Amino acid sequence: MKQIPLAIGLGPEPGFDNFVTGPNGVALHALTQWRQPGPPVFLHGRAGTGKSHLLAAWAARVRGQGGQVAWFHATTPLPWQFDEAWSLVIIDDAQDLDEARQHAAFTLFVEAATHGTQMAAAARLPPVDLPLREDLRTRFGWGPVFELQPLDEAATRAVLRREADARGLMLSDEVMDYLLTRFERDLGSLKSLLHRLDRFSLAERRAVTVPLLKKMLTEGEVAA
């Protein structure tokens, strides 16, 4: 019987200080210097480019200053009811909003404008290309729009090394090479895989090696 690992080693919380900038310095600088309330901010780019990290870092800063943050995803249950106490409203995965949530998102924009609440959103596509109703696409693209680019290999290695160190996980160059040559270099997916590997190594009471990683994948171990 395997030991069930405790929920430890969850990795660092997203912050501006632990965002690996790579080619995305303009967006990072803009958000760290942002004075709210201001026009809506929109981030777009392929999966794993850091959109959610930057939004989470912004949310953490707002909360640290005593503000309240609302975060909506394309799967967040309806109704989406605006609260005047919010300082920042985030809409993530905007490209996947269904018709009902498009209406809800547009209403949030109207309420936010009325009450002086900062809006921010993210999607894989720029506002002009989103498969959404025209008035909502216009709202998303009303303020500054930043495209995030994928990290190069060196920066991706730095992110994974930092994540592993934060978990107390010894990640050899051999394991790192295997991860980067056998899997998509989508940071979100790679971090999820690292989380699974951390838990699997704890359950197996074995150091992280390529054979252990292969065993985890063969057994179909799922993230908890």
Side-chain angles (χ1 to χ4, degrees), residues 151-161 180 185 187 190:
L151 299 177
D152 61 19
E153 181 173 330
T156 300
R157 284 177 178 270
V159 172
L160 292 180
R161 184 72 65 191
L180 293 178
R185 292 182 186 177
L187 271 181
L190 287 172

Side-chain angles (χ1 to χ4, degrees), residues 66-70 72 81-89 108 110-118:
Q68 296 185 31
V69 179
F72 297 92
Q81 296 180 332
F82 185 83
D83 189 328
E84 295 181 21
W86 293 339
S87 302
L88 172 65
V89 177
L108 288 178
V110 173
E111 293 285 353
T114 301
H115 296 92
T117 303
Q118 179 69 53

Side-chain angles (χ1 to χ4, degrees), residues 19-213:
F19 180 74
V20 179
T21 309
N24 301 312
V26 173
L28 175 63
H29 179 76
L31 294 188
T32 56
Q33 301 300 314
W34 193 260
R35 295 293 179 265
Q36 61 184 82
V41 175
F42 194 92
L43 307 178
H44 71 94
R46 55 187 284 189
T49 51
K51 303 183 299 294
S52 294
H53 184 120
L54 285 178
L55 291 177
W58 192 358
R61 185 180 66 181
V62 169
R63 292 191 185 102
Q65 296 171 344
Q68 296 185 31
V69 179
W71 193 311
F72 297 92
H73 293 266
T75 57
T76 302
L78 295 169
W80 295 2
Q81 296 180 332
F82 185 83
D83 189 328
E84 295 181 21
W86 293 339
S87 302
L88 172 65
V89 177
I90 295 171
I91 301 175
D92 208 353
D93 298 321
Q95 74 281 341
D96 295 327
L97 295 174
D98 60 21
E99 183 176 353
R101 287 170 178 79
Q102 289 179 48
H103 177 74
F106 182 79
T107 301
L108 288 178
F109 270 102
V110 173
E111 293 285 353
T114 301
H115 296 92
T117 303
Q118 179 69 53
M119 293 289 297
R124 295 182 183 178
L125 301 172
V128 68
D129 293 330
L130 289 173
L132 307 176
R133 47 190 272 187
E134 177 62 23
D135 55 359
L136 182 57
R137 286 195 292 112
T138 301
R139 293 279 178 164
F140 279 135
W142 178 25
V145 175
F146 301 100
E147 180 180 8
L148 299 189
Q149 300 290 341
L151 299 177
D152 61 19
E153 181 173 330
T156 300
R157 284 177 178 270
V159 172
L160 292 180
R161 184 72 65 191
R162 184 193 65 202
E163 291 284 323
D165 290 345
R167 299 170 184 275
L169 191 64
M170 296 298 295
L171 204 62
S172 68
D173 290 339
E174 183 183 14
V175 173
M176 182 77 78
D177 291 342
Y178 192 89
L179 289 172
L180 293 178
T181 56
R182 301 300 181 93
F183 301 94
E184 291 290 334
R185 292 182 186 177
D186 169 348
L187 271 181
S189 298
L190 287 172
K191 286 182 180 180
S192 177
L193 186 60
L194 195 64
H195 172 64
R196 292 169 54 191
L197 187 56
D198 186 15
R199 292 179 60 83
F200 191 72
S201 68
L202 287 172
E204 293 283 317
R205 297 185 179 182
R206 291 171 55 189
V208 173
T209 60
V210 170
L212 181 72
L213 174 56

